[in-house]
Amino acid sequence: MAGVVIYFAVAGWPFIGDRPPSADAQPAHARGAADAVPVPAATTDRFDGDRALATARRLVALGPRPAGSRTAQAAAEMLRPLLPRGRLAPLPGRPGLRNVVGEVAGHGRPIVVIAHYDTTPVVGYVGANNSAAAVGAVVELARRLHASRSAAPVVFLLTDGEEAPDYPPKDFAADGLRGSRAAAAGPLGRIAREVIVLDFVGQHGLRIRREGNSDAALWSRLRRAAAAVGVGAVFPAGTQGPILDDHIPFRDRGIPSIDLIDFDYPCWQRTCDTLDKLSARSIDAAGETVMELLRRERARR
Ligand SMILES: [Zn+2]
């Protein structure tokens, strides 16, 4: 956590949600309400962005989903049957919080794909891009991936309690990331081979640079996968500031981990984070990329 503490000192920012606003944030590229910066269409069709968006719509329709609420519980129950071998995993010591976990079988240590289904406790906040779109993408990845005896297994982890229970959070590092910390403290933290987190992947004009805490080698392979499916422009070179997200508890255990998050998003933790901010094309670009990365990573030895 030393890096985080140093970061706070540098940024002088007392609280964060998904991430601290960063002192060295990327200069905003032109981005209007619509696709001011067009996202290219993927050249592969192994992932259905419209279908992922439809799942995001179902999640948003439940309303705000702060951890511990009835709507969060309803969300978990809605999502469980959408994952292969889906199950609810209550968080130890956190009554009323649970992760949703699924998997496709394979050979060797699992790759873990994560998105959070809870929302920050801002009244009226429905979290379309943060992070219903990412949940929809993970569900769609799970639907399209198949068990393979010659490839690594994949675990799908939809976390609860990623957001802190208060907003603005008094201590996000201590109070946020509850679902991923619980998962990383369990068997997954010992056996996971690598971790891929999807967070803000749905907004128009999606552009994601490597987040400062994300593993550089795995990110390079992600960028190559993106280029291979025709959406390399969505993952430009360069880095954005470090972000505390669900990859951190795994990274802290030495597991190569990356976070797909386009933090250039004005509606972060604001009630304007609604469905109209989402683009099926953007979700598809992220989804096709991760599908290609998983295909390559699962075959690696
Ligand atoms: Zn988030």
Side-chain angles (χ1 to χ4, degrees):
M1 298 303 284
V4 170
V5 172
I6 289 165
Y7 179 76
F8 287 155
V10 170
W13 192 266
F15 60 83
I16 53 174
D18 276 303
R19 54 152 274 172
S22 74
D24 59 341
Q26 293 298 315
H29 43 265
R31 178 180 292 167
D35 271 325
V37 183
V39 170
T43 54
T44 47
D45 190 16
R46 305 180 191 123
F47 179 98
D48 186 337
D50 290 311
R51 195 158 171 145
L53 180 55
T55 301
R57 274 201 198 94
R58 286 181 65 190
L59 203 51
V60 166
L62 295 173
R65 306 172 297 285
S69 67
R70 292 179 70 106
T71 43
Q73 181 177 356
E77 287 165 1
M78 184 200 99
L79 293 166
R80 184 192 58 73
L82 301 183
L83 291 182
R85 301 176 70 181
R87 63 189 183 274
L88 302 181
L91 305 193
R94 309 269 191 195
L97 272 66
R98 81 288 293 162
N99 292 334
V100 188
V101 188
E103 60 196 302
V104 296
H107 175 81
R109 296 166 63 198
I111 298 170
V112 184
V113 183
I114 303 177
H116 71 89
Y117 70 87
D118 68 312
T119 53
T120 201
V122 168
V123 174
Y125 186 85
V126 298
N129 194 36
N130 178 24
S131 206
V135 170
V138 171
V139 166
E140 174 63 5
L141 288 165
R143 189 177 75 85
R144 298 292 289 265
L145 285 168
H146 298 288
S148 169
R149 278 187 220 176
S150 59
V154 182
V155 171
F156 308 97
L157 175 61
L158 304 178
T159 57
D160 198 356
E162 188 274 338
E163 305 287 4
D166 51 348
Y167 190 82
K170 284 184 286 292
D171 186 355
F172 184 85
D175 301 333
L177 312 180
R178 287 166 284 173
S180 52
R181 279 191 280 141
L188 265 190
R190 295 189 291 276
I191 63 173
R193 190 170 98 186
E194 58 199 43
V195 168
I196 302 167
V197 173
L198 282 69
D199 205 340
F200 298 25
V201 298
Q203 68 258 48
H204 294 277
L206 188 69
R207 289 293 184 278
I208 308 181
R209 289 174 178 81
R210 186 177 73 83
E211 170 275 333
N213 290 320
S214 290
D215 182 79
L218 183 53
W219 191 263
S220 293
R221 300 201 293 278
L222 174 88
R223 292 188 69 218
R224 287 201 289 277
V229 300
V231 298
V234 174
F235 298 91
T239 58
Q240 56 180 326
I243 298 169
L244 293 187
D245 208 341
D246 278 334
H247 58 323
I248 297 299
F250 293 92
R251 185 203 65 153
D252 287 350
R253 284 169 171 74
I255 300 165
S257 303
I258 57 174
D259 186 15
L260 279 68
I261 181 165
D262 176 357
F263 201 67
D264 185 1
Y265 184 58
C267 290
W268 175 63
Q269 314 301 48
R270 296 174 58 206
T271 54
C272 58
D273 183 6
T274 45
L275 285 172
D276 56 298
K277 306 305 182 303
L278 300 185
S279 155
R281 172 74 72 90
S282 292
I283 302 173
D284 193 68
E288 293 284 355
T289 296
V290 175
M291 188 63 94
E292 173 64 9
L293 178 66
L294 285 171
R295 190 185 69 76
R296 295 171 175 213
E297 295 296 303
R298 292 183 78 195
R300 273 162 57 95
R301 282 288 174 269

